[in-house]
Amino acid sequence: MDNVFSWLENTWLAEIIRSTAYLYPMLESIHIIGIALLIGPAAAFDLRLLGAGQQMLRVTTAANHLLRLSHVGFVIAAVTGVALFLPGANLIADRGSAPWKLGLILLAGISILIFHRRTYRNVADWDTNQPTPIAARCAAVVSLTSWTGVTITGRLLAYT
């Protein structure tokens, strides 16, 4: 695996990121904006699934407005995250929090996939004035917990 990380560190893109003044901190800043656009709307949607604003806002309305923004944030965070990983792939991969961060991203992704493929398909039955199904509430808790963990472990990459 070290060979893969060494290869990544020696790619032309890693060299540009490493050698261009202020590019790495700019990517970090854009990464944080992406994280905010991902987690903020996702958390608001998860809170709606947990019952916040149930009388005021349909689940589908919340999904239509919040999840699109969250998808944009995910793309920004993913692209900049890969770019930030490249110049120091060996060092970052050796950090104790790295497998936790990747595992939590995977957990969040699996939870999202299950939610949208199964639970959300029947949203018309519980969109308004109905209790949110336990599966949707569980997905919201998994989402809130995993994205919080991704944020914490991502921050720990600089220290562990």
Side-chain angles (χ1 to χ4, degrees):
M1 204 58 159
D2 286 341
N3 289 339
V4 172
F5 297 136
S6 294
W7 177 81
L8 289 171
E9 286 182 357
N10 291 315
T11 61
W12 63 271
L13 184 56
E15 184 57 38
I16 288 171
I17 294 167
R18 208 175 11 256
S19 63
T20 304
Y22 304 111
L23 182 55
Y24 196 89
M26 291 286 291
L27 288 169
E28 284 181 314
S29 298
I30 295 167
H31 188 65
I32 291 168
I33 292 167
I35 291 167
L37 290 172
L38 163 63
I39 296 176
F45 181 71
D46 292 337
L47 292 172
R48 171 56 188 89
L49 292 177
L50 292 172
Q54 184 173 353
Q55 300 301 320
M56 297 180 293
L57 187 63
R58 298 169 62 109
V59 172
T60 52
T61 302
N64 289 337
H65 293 287
L66 296 170
L67 297 184
R68 288 183 195 154
L69 193 54
S70 196
H71 295 154
V72 170
F74 178 79
V75 170
I76 293 168
V79 169
T80 56
V82 169
L84 291 167
F85 177 75
L86 292 176
N90 277 305
L91 179 66
I92 294 169
D94 276 346
R95 300 289 167 105
S97 58
W100 287 97
K101 180 176 180 174
L102 293 176
L104 288 166
I105 291 170
L106 184 62
L107 175 64
I110 290 169
S111 176
I112 291 165
L113 185 66
I114 292 169
F115 173 76
H116 284 284
R117 295 254 171 126
R118 294 188 179 192
T119 309
Y120 194 73
R121 284 183 165 205
N122 301 323
V123 71
D125 297 339
W126 50 275
D127 196 17
T128 55
N129 299 325
Q130 296 294 321
T132 306
I134 189 78
R137 286 183 276 154
C138 287
V141 169
V142 169
S143 175
L144 287 167
T145 304
S146 58
W147 288 120
T148 299
V150 167
T151 303
I152 292 167
T153 55
R155 201 54 221 128
L156 287 173
L157 284 175
Y159 303 103
T160 61

